[in-house]
Amino acid sequence: MLDTSAAIHPENASQHTERSTGVQLGMITQITEQNNALLLMGEHFNLAITSVDGGSIRIKTFRGQQPNWKTTPAIIASETRTQEPLKWTADEERVSVVSGSTTVEMNRKTGSLSIRNGEQQVNILSVQRNRESVGDYTTFISLSEDDHIYGLGEKTGFLDKRGERYTMWNTDVYAPHVPEMEALYQSIPFLTVLNNGNGYGLFLDNPGKTVFDMRTYANMAMIQSWTGELDLYWIEGPTMKEVIVRYSELTGRMPLPPKWALGYHQSRYSYMDEKEVMDLAHTFRDKEIPCDVIHLDIHYMNGYRVFTFDENRFPNPEQMMARLRELGFHIVPIVDPGVKKDPMYAVYMEGVDENFFCKTAEGDIYTGPVWPGESAFPDFTESRVRDWWTEKQRFYTDLGIDGIWNDMNEPAIFNETKTMDVNVMHGNEGDRKTHGELHNLYGMCMSQASYEGLKALLDGKRPFVLTRAGYSGIQRYAAVWTGDNRSFWEHMSMAMPMVLNLGMSGVPFAGPDIGGFAHHTSGELLARWMQMGVFFPYCRNHSAIDTLRQEPWSFGEEIERICRQYISLRYQWMPYLYHWFYEASKTGLPVMRPLVLEYPNDPQVYNLCDQFLVGDSVIVAPVYRPNTEWRSVYLPEGEWVDYWSGERYAGQQHIHVHAPLAKLPIFIRAGAILLEGPVRQYADEAVADEFVTASIYLQGRSGTSSLEWYEDDGLTFAYEDGEWNKMLIEATESEQALNVTAKYTTRGYDSQRASIQFRIIGLAAAPKGVAGSGEQVQAAQLAQQASGWAYEAERGELWLKLPNTTDGIEMNITL
């Protein structure tokens, strides 16, 4: 419901004050070392400091004599994590703790902290225990004028979060996602602070309500936890990349998804029956618009009961799934947490009989209204409940379904608070807690049940899970979409910083609903959003009931042609995208990156969020305003090549780019290697000529370009048993010659590829000779030959083709 002017009635104004509402730690009266932790007993509460590994310090408040070191499920167990011994000294004025290259100093009289790592120093001015209803603890972090803040997950607004305030409380927000929305579906209480190229991270591991306020105070950030102890991790850099890598070592990394999940997804609320789904599938294939996935929204179910199909709308789902598999489609059905309260419904009665549902403190099953009506909610904090959910998912996997879409899992409930009562109890594996203490974990625990359940049932195939709600660590189980956006140009532009900050928060597999979910899209908006969306990690077109249709062909031939071109381009780029997904699975670094991650010393990119990088070498600059054919694009240091024309531009400048409706500005960094393959109608489609083209963008000077390309079968977990390849591709330039090599550094997977192509971009003239690549032929002939080379004078490109051998490839090109 929209606010009226009554919302700003003077009597409704909050009495904001900067006055302290609590007590500080106060004088430290006792210091004890215990189990490689330093316990500091203060006047009003206590503080414990320990090393997590070589780059992280954990600071935790506690009351009584012993801290509780138990972590939330955000933190993963690790056999490789090493807890470095603490070194500490104390005198009458201060306590000093050293771990690795980090030093923590505390004033013994006031309890204030400072943390130093090299040239970086962070002053934690105070940790307070609150006396009023604001929360349990508040800490103030000093900020310098040059500090910039990134991360905090899925939040509206611009890239740099300095000057903003956010609440971490997973919330179902159908109302427009405007910048003043402090809470959406995902709560990731982790941020990175950047100052003149160096960074550090702060992670507050508390799944209850927390607040990150970088607005109220000009030179401080205020972090509040409303339930439980303050459990704060300091994560050292010095680079932002190192901060993100270390954070992902704590909270886990994305497992490699199946390659089909990287393809194009088509959805609507809802495709109402079997005929509509099959017509949709055939239309994609008839129009040769690639697509891998069709989503089924809530209308596929019998009265919105999970683990059912409506027998009238979908009379034979098993047969439908088989026909869709023949066409190369995967079906991903929506599965919500609410289980309809119905004694005639077996799933509900199982939950009642086996004590699987959340309960009130008095022991009654908690219910609330959602799509099916009054519903109960599984207590996913309990492993035995997740095991039950695993078995229920057999209903889907027996039909050949290998992906699940978890929605409404904040959990969203149709009541005044929009969610579960905060006093509902969770078993939490014997450590009972209220829902208010664990709220932000609920969606992640459900996604864990979905992912681990599918994995157990799919006989070695990789599952795909999509979730709306999550907490730190959600990347271990699910991809994330940014919820119920709208078909507004403003929401298209807002999607960029939202997904970029998700990536900077350890969640690399994310994206918005292309075209916008609610309201009505237009042909122009769909075309521009599709151009942008195919370069996001997660790529789905989804629209609401009673809105204009927005399948790629919904707005006539011109828009259909543009959508086909760019969806096809995503499939053409699949080897490159998949390579960067592998990198994300190993490092935690995002696939889609803000320029500041690669160029942290360039002030021009500190809040640049209307263009982005794919991997470390491709700039995508969408047009996100109507009736617009020109836009400014910023190119950072180096030299950049227009993907479409081959024109070269010096970096560290803004350029004015012409971008008519059919053109998305794309620039490749000189020195980069881009991987492309054939256009397929779906990711696993067999093609007659299986090839990969490595496009090498020459630097035009002495230097070496390299990429260690990763590939596997894209479908199973066989890569965990060594069935994967890495090929090191290198191009070494000099004034007279170019040497290109491609050698397997690891080969455990048979790609069934007969040949590899190389495209050398940036030659000023035809080469004098090519050794190691057969005879020169016309460009049109090269596709029919096993080896050879051709030069295209118009674009200054040299094409080479060689057999894919285990011995590797070496070519010497005389210039």
Side-chain angles (χ1 to χ4, degrees):
M1 186 173 67
L2 298 177
D3 285 336
T4 66
S5 297
I8 54 173
H9 191 288
E11 293 182 4
N12 292 336
S14 63
Q15 299 300 313
H16 172 72
T17 175
E18 296 186 6
R19 184 169 50 83
S20 170
T21 61
V23 291
Q24 296 189 37
L25 182 68
M27 182 176 291
I28 298 169
T29 58
Q30 182 182 337
I31 304 172
T32 307
E33 185 173 359
Q34 185 183 95
N35 299 326
N36 206 35
L38 202 63
L39 309 187
L40 306 169
M41 306 301 184
E43 287 182 273
H44 302 291
F45 55 93
N46 308 318
L47 205 64
I49 301 174
T50 189
S51 166
V52 180
D53 58 24
S56 301
I57 298 286
R58 186 179 180 189
I59 301 170
K60 185 167 186 178
T61 60
F62 67 101
R63 307 174 206 195
Q65 298 301 307
Q66 298 285 337
N68 179 0
W69 289 115
K70 185 177 179 180
T71 66
T72 75
I75 305 294
I76 61 169
S78 173
E79 296 178 358
T80 60
R81 191 177 297 147
T82 56
Q83 190 176 29
E84 293 195 1
L86 288 177
K87 301 174 184 177
W88 64 278
T89 59
D91 57 31
E92 292 182 358
E93 294 187 358
R94 67 178 56 85
V95 181
S96 180
V97 182
V98 178
S99 175
S101 56
T102 296
T103 300
V104 182
E105 288 193 346
M106 175 172 286
N107 186 306
R108 286 197 69 162
K109 295 180 180 179
T110 66
S112 62
L113 284 163
S114 68
I115 303 175
R116 187 173 66 254
N117 177 242
E119 296 180 359
Q120 293 175 278
Q121 177 157 327
V122 180
N123 292 315
I124 301 181
L125 301 179
S126 69
V127 178
Q128 299 180 3
R129 190 185 74 202
N130 296 297
R131 290 180 170 139
E132 301 175 9
S133 59
V134 172
D136 277 355
Y137 288 95
T138 301
T139 184
F140 293 91
I141 312 295
S142 66
L143 295 175
S144 74
E145 185 177 348
D146 295 327
D147 282 344
H148 303 271
I149 296 174
Y150 307 100
L152 295 172
E154 175 196 58
K155 300 299 181 186
T156 57
F158 292 101
L159 184 71
D160 186 352
K161 297 309 183 186
R162 184 75 183 265
E164 302 294 344
R165 181 187 189 276
Y166 296 108
T167 301
M168 299 293 166
W169 185 255
N170 290 356
T171 306
D172 174 19
V173 182
Y174 183 70
H177 300 173
V178 294
E180 67 182 288
M181 287 289 180
E182 292 191 0
L184 286 174
Y185 316 93
Q186 296 271 333
S187 294
I188 302 180
F190 165 68
L191 58 81
T192 301
V193 179
L194 176 70
N195 184 297
N196 294 317
N198 292 322
Y200 67 87
L202 292 172
F203 170 45
L204 177 62
D205 188 14
N206 186 316
K209 182 175 286 188
T210 60
V211 173
F212 286 73
D213 185 351
M214 290 73 62
R215 175 193 301 150
T216 301
Y217 307 98
N219 59 352
M220 288 188 293
M222 182 177 72
I223 301 176
Q224 291 183 322
S225 63
W226 286 45
T227 57
E229 302 293 342
L230 182 82
D231 197 354
L232 187 67
Y233 291 76
W234 148 273
I235 303 172
E236 69 179 46
T239 68
M240 284 202 297
K241 283 186 176 181
E242 287 172 292
V243 172
I244 295 169
V245 168
R246 288 192 170 112
Y247 168 75
S248 67
E249 286 171 351
L250 290 174
T251 62
R253 292 170 181 151
M254 169 194 70
L256 263 175
K259 194 175 287 186
W260 60 263
L262 274 61
Y264 176 72
H265 296 231
Q266 184 64 53
S267 184
R268 183 168 173 85
Y269 171 43
S270 287
Y271 295 121
M272 292 294 186
D273 55 29
E274 179 179 322
K275 182 179 184 304
E276 188 174 13
V277 171
M278 293 308 303
D279 287 348
L280 180 78
H282 283 293
T283 303
F284 271 105
R285 297 295 178 248
D286 292 345
K287 290 181 174 291
E288 296 186 340
I289 300 174
C291 182
D292 266 278
V293 186
I294 295 172
H295 288 242
L296 298 182
D297 214 315
I298 60 174
H299 291 93
Y300 81 87
M301 293 181 274
N302 176 12
Y304 312 127
R305 294 169 177 83
V306 292
F307 309 114
T308 67
F309 269 89
D310 184 305
E311 295 180 0
N312 294 317
R313 298 175 189 268
F314 295 91
N316 195 333
E318 185 174 12
Q319 184 183 75
M320 183 185 78
M321 300 302 169
R323 291 162 61 197
L324 288 166
R325 281 196 299 275
E326 290 176 3
L327 292 170
F329 284 96
H330 295 259
I331 286 290
V332 173
I334 199 168
V335 180
D336 293 343
V339 175
K340 183 176 178 62
K341 182 181 179 181
D342 177 0
M344 300 296 289
Y345 176 31
V347 178
Y348 174 73
M349 291 310 298
E350 283 180 32
V352 171
D353 293 341
E354 299 298 328
N355 196 27
F356 289 146
F357 294 131
C358 297
K359 293 186 175 182
T360 67
E362 293 72 29
D364 300 321
I365 293 175
Y366 172 82
T367 63
V370 280
W371 303 119
E374 202 67 19
S375 300
F377 297 84
D379 185 0
F380 291 113
T381 69
E382 296 268 80
S383 58
R384 65 186 190 88
V385 178
R386 297 195 297 272
D387 290 344
W388 172 60
W389 204 254
T390 290
E391 189 56 36
K392 301 318 295 178
Q393 287 182 141
R394 194 180 295 278
F395 173 80
Y396 297 110
T397 57
D398 283 352
L399 295 173
I401 290 170
D402 45 12
I404 291 293
W405 167 18
N406 289 155
D407 194 9
M408 304 289 286
N409 55 342
E410 292 74 28
I413 297 175
F414 302 154
N415 59 18
E416 188 174 341
T417 66
K418 298 186 177 181
T419 194
M420 192 178 288
D421 189 295
V422 294
N423 293 318
V424 166
M425 300 304 298
H426 291 287
N428 196 39
E429 305 293 16
D431 182 18
R432 287 201 308 167
K433 290 188 181 298
T434 66
H435 185 72
E437 294 173 281
L438 299 181
H439 172 79
N440 292 332
L441 271 177
Y442 189 85
M444 187 172 90
C445 291
M446 182 185 186
S447 296
Q448 179 184 1
S450 297
Y451 181 84
E452 292 178 346
L454 288 176
K455 185 177 180 180
L457 296 171
L458 287 177
D459 297 324
K461 290 193 299 181
R462 302 177 209 172
F464 169 71
V465 176
L466 178 67
T467 186
R468 192 169 76 174
Y471 181 67
S472 293
I474 187 61
Q475 65 272 8
R476 307 196 302 261
Y477 309 115
V480 169
W481 97 103
T482 57
D484 293 339
N485 63 359
R486 275 168 157 67
S487 299
F488 299 158
W489 289 93
E490 293 83 355
H491 279 213
M492 178 187 167
S493 64
M494 190 168 64
M496 286 182 271
M498 286 181 80
V499 176
L500 289 171
N501 272 315
L502 275 165
M504 296 274 275
S505 305
V507 184
F509 199 2
D513 285 337
I514 292 173
F517 174 69
H519 197 55
H520 305 283
T521 197
S522 66
E524 183 188 10
L525 177 57
L526 179 62
R528 289 301 197 189
W529 205 323
M530 188 71 76
Q531 290 170 346
M532 178 184 80
V534 299
F535 288 100
F536 276 53
Y538 179 60
C539 179
R540 180 179 77 158
N541 177 335
H542 184 44
S543 56
I545 200 167
D546 294 332
T547 63
L548 288 177
R549 304 295 294 228
Q550 59 188 50
E551 290 79 15
W553 51 83
S554 298
F555 292 91
E557 292 184 3
E558 181 187 17
I559 304 304
E560 178 184 328
R561 183 170 61 252
I562 293 169
C563 290
R564 178 187 297 106
Q565 175 191 354
Y566 283 90
I567 296 172
S568 298
L569 189 64
R570 182 176 178 92
Y571 282 77
Q572 184 178 323
W573 282 41
M574 190 68 78
Y576 181 79
L577 292 172
Y578 191 72
H579 169 82
W580 287 103
F581 266 80
Y582 164 77
E583 290 292 325
S585 75
K586 288 299 182 183
T587 66
L589 294 171
V591 177
M592 175 182 167
R593 302 179 177 184
L595 273 71
V596 70
L597 190 60
E598 297 293 335
Y599 303 93
N601 293 299
D602 186 347
Q604 295 288 338
V605 303
Y606 288 162
N607 205 13
L608 182 62
C609 52
D610 66 348
Q611 58 185 75
F612 56 88
L613 287 160
V614 181
D616 63 3
S617 302
V618 177
I619 288 177
V620 175
V623 175
Y624 54 92
R625 292 289 181 263
N627 307 311
T628 301
E629 288 196 356
W630 292 86
R631 67 153 290 170
S632 173
V633 177
Y634 180 70
L635 302 176
E637 64 179 338
E639 188 177 33
W640 295 85
V641 184
D642 187 312
Y643 177 74
W644 305 109
S645 69
E647 187 174 353
R648 290 180 171 249
Y649 298 89
Q652 292 190 301
Q653 66 164 331
H654 290 84
I655 61 173
H656 202 42
V657 179
H658 188 216
L661 185 59
K663 181 182 176 183
L664 168 71
I666 304 172
F667 296 87
I668 316 295
R669 177 178 53 80
I673 298 176
L674 178 66
L675 303 167
E676 297 174 273
V679 175
R680 307 171 194 268
Q681 294 306 298
Y682 52 96
D684 296 329
E685 183 185 29
V687 294
D689 185 16
E690 188 68 59
F691 69 88
V692 165
T693 299
S695 296
I696 301 170
Y697 287 78
L698 296 180
Q699 301 174 68
R701 51 182 170 78
S702 296
T704 299
S705 305
S706 66
L707 178 75
E708 193 169 23
W709 163 36
Y710 174 87
E711 63 174 343
D712 58 32
D713 67 16
L715 183 64
T716 73
F717 286 96
Y719 69 90
E720 293 182 347
D721 298 320
E723 293 187 27
W724 51 275
N725 297 337
K726 272 191 176 180
M727 174 183 279
L728 180 61
I729 302 171
E730 292 187 308
T732 303
E733 301 177 51
S734 65
E735 289 186 9
Q736 289 82 31
L738 173 66
N739 177 256
V740 178
T741 60
K743 297 181 179 179
Y744 285 102
T745 55
T746 302
R747 188 166 191 183
Y749 163 64
D750 185 1
S751 63
Q752 301 292 316
R753 184 184 307 107
S755 61
I756 297 179
Q757 292 188 148
F758 297 86
R759 176 179 168 227
I760 313 296
I761 299 164
L763 288 178
K768 294 179 180 178
V770 177
S773 185
E775 299 297 321
Q776 182 178 8
V777 297
Q778 296 296 315
Q781 294 177 257
L782 201 57
Q784 280 73 49
Q785 301 203 183
S787 63
W789 64 276
Y791 179 71
E792 292 186 354
E794 184 178 344
R795 291 180 59 92
E797 294 181 359
L798 174 65
W799 288 79
L800 310 108
K801 188 175 183 181
L802 291 100
N804 185 26
T805 66
T806 56
D807 298 331
I809 292 166
E810 182 168 3
M811 296 166 287
N812 291 291
I813 300 155
T814 306
L815 304 179

